[in-house]
Amino acid sequence: MTSMLRSSTVSDILRRSAARVPNRTALRFAEREWTYRELDAAVTRAAAHLLSLGLRHGDRVAAYGKNSDAYLIGFLACARAGLVHVPVNFNLTGEELGYLVEQSGSSVALVDPGLRGNVDALGLALKHVLPLRDADASLLEVARESTTPSLDVEVADTDLAQLLYTSGTTSRPKGAMMTHRALVHEYVSCMVDLDLTEHDAPLHVMPLYHSAQLHVFLMPWLAVGATNTLLEVPDPNEILRRLSAERHGAFFAAPTLWVALANHPEFGEHDLSALRKAYYGASIMPGPVLERLREAMPELGFYNCFGQSEIAPLATVLRPEEHEQRPDSAGRPVLFVELRVVDPDGNDVAPGEQGEVVYRSPQLCEGYWDKPEETEEAFRDGWFHSGDLVRIDEEGYIYVVDRIKDVINTGGVLVASREVEDALYTHPAVGEVAVVGLPDEKWIEAITAVVVPKGEVSEDELLGHVRGKLSSFKLPKAVRFVDDLPRNASGKILKRELRDRFAAS
């Protein structure tokens, strides 16, 4: 195993921390605590169990569950066993769930017992559906056994560790192929640019199926040997209680959750003086909310994190000391990321002008799973084309203007507008439809359907029609009726005009 001499895999992250600080608490979840030594041994047991099911190097394993210690162990066990972890949004059901499992070629699914019915209803050709926790013969039960088997598995850092599915302009998600090397490089960028230390005592609440919580925060903090506390769901009441009672020093939340915390009636009653590092990202933070938070907690350092799943996902950071002069900036590139802002011909734009941000980085995915044409398009000209429209200033700070792709960021979750449009078009009274995201204090961007009807139809009727076709988070928050849709000379619908028109109404 000569490649092990220079190994740099996701599994090595935990193993090295366990060797360095074996008796320190690595993870707290519910009533359970794991030291680094215990967590490392649990991962080896779980990895051996997965391999005992007949899985081979490179096989895909779907993970369909809410936050838990078992979910984390499942991810790390796949990494240690040379398997490819496929995180699935636990809100997905029906065809959307089935597509991710089938398109990834997953042969085993790790599932929370409460979600098992959603998987069984699809009749998928899975070899095994293994409960993550709270059931007999669960992965957690195996991980807590007293005997740790030897595991003779060689995993290269060029092997795939995960397929991160991300929605684009089409209705079908794409699986970004993340190698161990890409993820480990990104962890180092996070440690450096987000000032992560072993003393931070972070609280983790956002879903681990999302790359931000898992790869920007939880895994890098495990790398530095911090004590991590994990909540199953991001409940504002519980978050405020934990931050105060347990004296956590660091915390990440999507802007939607920061809005909920800032507006919470008991926000000012909790002692948050131990909190020193506050991170936000995954969508645009409303300026007034950020200003209100900074005024309420002037000693707290805020970090704006920007990127996308294909880059593992952190690309740029605006640090606390940079917020005063550039509160609306997404910052500058992190340690292992190089970026440019280019026009449609691939030429660098001048400072202050708008263009697409493109990247070169060892953090980048290898392409999209089983989608060679989409991969070639995204990685053309030797750069990864993000689809994000930004401007850049003379000192290299970027400012996000819009998404080139028609993707709506609702509550920190990306939804393809075309997917919602396709569902609405199945109603016979819909003549034309354009779906846009409108500014919203709760959702950041509220999914809004602008419909040209061709018959009598109401908002309630349309929403009821698509309710059985889309997951709940993809449902429009409102329907607006118009006589026609604005178009350019070539006939393309001008969604920017719709956003401007209805945002002002």
Side-chain angles (χ1 to χ4, degrees):
M1 292 191 182
T2 56
S3 66
M4 296 295 287
L5 289 170
R6 300 172 182 85
S7 181
S8 182
T9 70
V10 169
S11 173
D12 295 327
I13 294 291
L14 176 63
R15 181 175 56 80
R16 288 169 178 147
S17 290
R20 190 174 66 253
V21 288
N23 298 317
R24 181 179 298 163
T25 299
L27 183 68
R28 295 191 178 104
F29 175 77
E31 303 303 317
R32 294 188 290 273
E33 288 193 6
W34 303 82
T35 66
Y36 274 92
R37 177 189 284 118
E38 291 168 341
L39 186 61
D40 186 57
V43 167
T44 297
R45 296 182 197 116
H49 182 67
L50 291 175
L51 291 174
S52 75
L53 300 178
L55 290 168
R56 296 178 297 177
H57 191 94
D59 283 350
R60 275 77 63 206
V61 177
Y64 184 52
K66 297 181 179 180
N67 287 357
S68 68
D69 47 359
Y71 190 98
L72 175 64
I73 289 169
F75 166 64
L76 289 165
C78 286
R80 187 158 291 180
L83 306 172
V84 183
H85 187 261
V86 183
V88 178
N89 182 338
F90 57 74
N91 292 300
L92 293 180
T93 58
E95 292 183 5
E96 296 170 311
L97 169 62
Y99 173 78
L100 261 63
V101 176
E102 291 188 313
Q103 202 276 337
S104 66
S106 294
S107 55
V108 170
L110 307 176
V111 180
D112 276 353
L115 300 174
R116 175 70 183 260
N118 295 338
V119 177
D120 291 342
L122 297 174
L124 299 172
L126 290 163
K127 294 180 181 178
H128 300 279
V129 179
L130 183 65
L132 277 163
R133 51 180 171 140
D134 305 326
D136 291 338
S138 69
L139 190 70
L140 180 64
E141 192 174 83
V142 170
R144 300 180 75 183
E145 291 177 354
S146 57
T147 303
T148 304
S150 59
L151 194 65
D152 187 18
V153 177
E154 184 171 356
V155 181
D157 57 15
T158 53
D159 289 342
L160 293 187
Q162 200 171 50
L163 295 183
L164 285 174
Y165 276 86
T166 175
S167 294
T169 56
T170 66
S171 60
R172 292 299 193 184
K174 303 185 293 291
M177 299 186 289
M178 308 307 305
T179 64
H180 289 262
R181 177 183 292 173
L183 293 175
V184 171
H185 272 88
E186 193 262 358
Y187 298 163
V188 177
S189 287
C190 294
M191 288 180 246
V192 172
D193 288 281
L194 299 179
D195 302 321
L196 308 185
T197 77
E198 62 184 294
H199 307 295
D200 288 331
L203 178 67
H204 304 272
V205 305
M206 300 303 294
L208 292 180
Y209 72 73
H210 194 286
S211 56
Q213 186 67 82
L214 181 61
H215 296 313
V216 179
F217 298 102
L218 183 50
M219 284 302 303
W221 259 312
L222 285 171
V224 298
T227 294
N228 299 271
T229 300
L230 180 65
L231 299 188
E232 183 177 62
V233 293
D235 175 67
N237 291 315
E238 183 69 0
I239 290 169
L240 289 173
R241 187 189 72 80
R242 292 289 193 103
L243 287 174
S244 175
E246 298 175 0
R247 310 292 291 167
H248 292 285
F251 174 68
F252 161 71
T256 305
L257 183 53
W258 278 115
V259 170
L261 293 173
N263 294 333
H264 196 282
E266 298 178 4
F267 178 73
E269 299 176 15
H270 289 272
D271 178 10
L272 304 181
S273 60
L275 195 60
R276 284 290 176 265
K277 299 172 185 176
Y279 303 91
Y280 64 95
S283 62
I284 298 171
M285 173 78 89
V289 174
L290 178 59
E291 184 177 352
R292 191 158 71 242
L293 287 166
R294 293 182 66 210
E295 289 178 353
M297 297 177 286
E299 302 300 318
L300 184 56
F302 283 88
Y303 298 75
N304 184 3
C305 306
F306 175 74
Q308 58 194 115
S309 295
E310 289 93 334
I311 202 162
L314 189 66
T316 69
V317 170
L318 185 73
R319 296 174 51 80
E321 65 272 15
E322 298 169 325
H323 271 71
E324 198 63 41
Q325 290 187 326
R326 298 176 174 85
D328 55 342
S329 171
R332 293 189 285 192
V334 297
L335 180 65
F336 283 117
V337 171
E338 178 184 359
L339 66 76
R340 297 166 58 216
V341 180
V342 301
D343 63 20
D345 296 322
N347 302 310
D348 291 339
V349 302
E353 293 185 1
Q354 295 179 8
E356 182 181 16
V357 61
V358 297
Y359 302 112
R360 286 200 303 207
S361 172
Q363 298 177 194
L364 281 165
C365 67
E366 295 296 295
Y368 299 113
W369 180 261
D370 201 25
K371 291 185 179 293
E373 293 181 0
E374 288 88 339
T375 297
E376 184 176 356
E377 171 65 16
F379 287 86
R380 64 188 184 275
D381 305 323
W383 292 80
F384 173 74
H385 290 250
S386 70
D388 286 316
L389 187 67
V390 308
R391 60 184 175 86
I392 188 168
D393 68 18
E394 292 182 351
E395 296 185 51
Y397 290 86
I398 67 167
Y399 301 76
V400 180
V401 177
D402 202 352
R403 280 157 296 280
I404 297 173
K405 305 168 186 177
D406 291 323
V407 176
I408 299 168
N409 225 324
T410 178
V413 179
L414 297 180
V415 175
S417 60
R418 179 179 169 183
E419 184 177 5
V420 184
E421 290 162 357
D422 287 347
L424 285 162
Y425 268 121
T426 63
H427 192 285
V430 173
E432 288 186 295
V433 60
V435 170
V436 296
L438 297 182
D440 184 88
E441 183 162 316
K442 178 180 180 182
W443 298 103
I444 311 304
E445 289 182 330
I447 299 174
T448 304
V450 184
V451 174
V452 178
K454 60 180 182 180
E456 290 293 326
V457 66
S458 67
E459 179 181 44
D460 288 343
E461 183 179 349
L462 286 179
L463 294 178
H465 177 74
V466 298
R467 189 164 283 115
K469 301 178 181 299
L470 298 167
S471 297
S472 59
F473 67 91
K474 297 182 179 180
L475 295 173
K477 300 295 186 292
V479 177
R480 306 291 181 90
F481 294 97
V482 297
D483 294 330
D484 52 46
L485 297 173
R487 286 179 164 83
N488 63 14
S490 64
K492 183 178 179 180
I493 295 173
L494 298 173
K495 291 190 174 182
R496 170 58 71 84
E497 289 190 12
L498 291 174
R499 283 193 289 266
D500 292 344
R501 173 181 170 185
F502 289 106
S505 64

